[in-house]
Amino acid sequence: MDKDTTRHAADLEAIRHLVATVERSQQNKDPEEFLGLFHPDAIWTTAHGRVLIGFEEIAEFTRRVLPAADWDGTVTYEVAHVLFVRDDVAAVKVRQCYQGADEGSEGAPLYVVSRQDDGRWLLTACQNTQVLRPGPA
């Protein structure tokens, strides 16, 4: 295996780990674990279109909303596709599934992640998109 292939495999594993940490922090409604995944200059757009710019805005929103989330069920996050834009920047398409006692919902987030000098991948520009199910005709 050449150096580029080995690096690519390691980066994919690190990105999967990042998404798994998003999943765990959401399942546990843990804002601090979630916030530890963000670049200081990150941009986050919620599933309902609220735009949060910079870590402080993201942190204020997350600390207020995540622990008080009223869903009672499970949430899973699955890496659906990774596109390396550069060696240190990737666009990550995620399949997000909430399963509650009565029903479920789905999201289709896009995370642009960047590798830091220390090798960590961080959420940098993210759009959390709710998947709407078609209604009756």
Side-chain angles (χ1 to χ4, degrees), residues 63-112:
R63 288 179 178 132
R64 182 172 39 83
V65 172
L66 185 56
D70 63 359
W71 58 271
D72 191 24
T74 61
V75 60
T76 59
Y77 290 72
E78 174 188 352
V79 173
H81 184 76
V82 177
L83 169 66
F84 285 93
V85 179
R86 299 186 333 201
D87 287 341
D88 62 343
V89 177
V92 182
K93 196 63 188 164
V94 175
R95 183 168 183 251
Q96 175 189 58
C97 297
Y98 290 97
Q99 193 59 50
D102 297 332
E103 63 182 69
S105 64
E106 189 173 333
L110 175 65
Y111 301 155
V112 176

Side-chain angles (χ1 to χ4, degrees), residues 16-114:
R16 285 187 191 101
H17 177 75
L18 171 74
V19 173
T21 305
V22 169
E23 176 182 279
R24 185 177 59 242
S25 69
Q26 296 296 304
Q27 287 175 345
N28 295 328
K29 300 178 186 178
D30 183 344
E32 299 313 314
E33 182 177 42
F34 183 62
L35 292 169
L37 304 173
F38 282 90
H39 186 279
D41 298 321
I43 299 169
W44 181 269
T45 303
T46 70
H48 300 290
R50 181 159 181 196
V51 178
L52 307 169
I53 298 175
F55 182 81
E56 291 307 317
E57 236 180 272
I58 295 166
E60 185 280 323
F61 178 83
T62 300
R63 288 179 178 132
R64 182 172 39 83
V65 172
L66 185 56
D70 63 359
W71 58 271
D72 191 24
T74 61
V75 60
T76 59
Y77 290 72
E78 174 188 352
V79 173
H81 184 76
V82 177
L83 169 66
F84 285 93
V85 179
R86 299 186 333 201
D87 287 341
D88 62 343
V89 177
V92 182
K93 196 63 188 164
V94 175
R95 183 168 183 251
Q96 175 189 58
C97 297
Y98 290 97
Q99 193 59 50
D102 297 332
E103 63 182 69
S105 64
E106 189 173 333
L110 175 65
Y111 301 155
V112 176
V113 298
S114 57

